[in-house]
Amino acid sequence: HWETGEPLPEEKFQKLCEQKIFNAGMMACRQLYFGQLDMTLHSKYDPVAGEKGEGKSIFDVQREVASKYVPHSMPLEEDRFLCSFNHIFAGGYSAGYYSYKWAEVMSADAFAAFEDVGLQNEDKVKEVGKKFRETVLSLGGGVPPMEVFKQFRGREPTPDALLRHNGLA
């Protein structure tokens, strides 16, 4: 405690730790929904046909994608979230919203390299850190990102570490 110096009771500490992963599955579904909605609108949606009534409306597409990713939270008929979803129309992320989740995958997988050698093993952590510096931090944009990652981890990224870190595996 900040006044008494007493340590936080273990039970309260554990509850604080559990909050880190509270609703992680719902948040993951939400991000995947946004990413897929962005990709679908930029790759499959025909706005001309939608406006003429000869194809799906933008809101039909939204509901269709939502039914796959967030069926527990379907948009209401009056929902106009898309009108304010600036990331995919005015924020420079056109067909790139998925990169938020992809960055999380790569970050968690990169950190898992340190976990794999044991975070308490200082010598091994230094070795992994050196390899991280020589690949991820040093190669920058001069090498395609997937190649940089493969040089660091020896393989393509997987979502396993992210799922584990979020309490979903």
Side-chain angles (χ1 to χ4, degrees):
H1 190 273
W2 70 277
E3 288 179 325
T4 66
E6 292 288 316
L8 188 66
E10 183 64 26
E11 180 183 326
K12 287 190 181 194
F13 175 74
Q14 289 305 320
K15 284 187 178 191
L16 286 172
C17 291
E18 290 167 5
Q19 288 180 355
K20 175 186 172 205
I21 59 171
F22 179 74
N23 259 346
M26 301 282 267
M27 290 305 295
C29 287
R30 181 175 183 265
Q31 289 299 110
L32 293 170
Y33 161 56
F34 290 164
Q36 185 60 58
L37 180 58
D38 179 28
M39 292 296 277
T40 301
L41 289 174
H42 283 92
S43 65
K44 297 179 182 175
Y45 172 64
D46 181 350
V48 174
E51 288 295 316
K52 289 182 177 180
E54 298 170 359
K56 295 177 185 174
S57 76
I58 194 169
F59 304 110
D60 293 335
V61 173
Q62 178 189 15
R63 283 188 290 279
E64 185 177 292
V65 174
S67 72
K68 295 176 185 172
Y69 290 89
V70 289
H72 56 277
S73 182
M74 291 294 293
L76 299 174
E77 190 63 37
E78 301 82 11
D79 184 295
R80 293 302 179 257
F81 161 72
L82 287 174
C83 296
S84 64
F85 194 12
N86 291 335
H87 280 75
I88 66 172
F89 296 116
Y93 281 89
S94 302
Y97 192 88
Y98 74 91
S99 65
Y100 281 116
K101 188 53 73 181
W102 188 236
E104 287 182 50
V105 167
M106 294 182 80
S107 172
D109 200 347
F111 182 70
F114 293 89
E115 293 175 315
D116 291 348
V117 299
L119 295 175
Q120 305 304 318
N121 186 337
E122 194 172 323
D123 291 337
K124 292 289 185 182
V125 166
K126 283 181 181 179
E127 284 178 32
V128 174
K130 183 178 180 203
K131 187 174 185 182
F132 183 78
R133 182 181 65 221
E134 292 171 351
T135 56
V136 177
L137 298 179
S138 296
L139 296 174
V143 176
M146 185 61 73
E147 291 306 312
V148 172
F149 192 89
K150 288 192 315 194
Q151 285 183 39
F152 173 59
R153 286 294 268 154
R155 59 170 174 72
E156 292 187 358
T158 71
D160 300 347
L162 179 63
L163 294 172
R164 183 172 40 81
H165 291 166
N166 286 335
L168 300 173

